[in-house]
Amino acid sequence: MSAGAATWLVVAVALLAANLPFVNERLFVVGPRRAPKAFGWRLLELVVAGGLTLLLGSALEASLGQRAPQGWEFYAAWTCLMLTLASPGFVWRYLRRGASAAAHE
């Protein structure tokens, strides 16, 4: 896999992983259904999905060559990126549909 393809794969997986907590009611996509799922669960799922996406990116980087060292700045930027990528799902769940519609699912 080329470096460009690996980059786009990680971006696509991050976009999917950031929005999954907001578009379903199951815990970690496969767990039991929680209706309505509390915001704390959604936030925990977002953190775990971000960590798994980081692991995927790290594995792809290692397969392409030597991994670059990452400082705290990288993880701060990654956190901001995951929050930005999660904004469509958040808007759909809490702003567009309204809190009352989300509570009745």
Side-chain angles (χ1 to χ4, degrees), residues 17 30 46 57 61-64 79-80 84 90-91 96 99 104:
V30 295
L46 183 62
E61 185 181 15
S63 72
L64 292 171
T79 301
C80 293
T84 301
F90 179 84
V91 167
R96 182 176 175 271
H104 293 295

Side-chain angles (χ1 to χ4, degrees), residues 34-61:
R34 310 269 282 187
K37 186 166 49 171
F39 183 73
W41 279 110
R42 295 184 199 280
L43 190 60
L44 178 64
E45 288 178 355
L46 183 62
V47 169
V48 170
L52 291 175
T53 307
L54 274 174
L55 288 175
L56 172 68
S58 176
L60 287 172
E61 185 181 15

Side-chain angles (χ1 to χ4, degrees), residues 9-33:
L9 176 65
V10 172
V11 170
V13 168
L15 181 63
L16 179 69
N19 286 292
L20 273 178
F22 298 103
V23 297
N24 70 33
E25 294 297 326
R26 295 190 176 273
L27 294 179
F28 296 99
V29 181
V30 295
R33 185 173 166 88

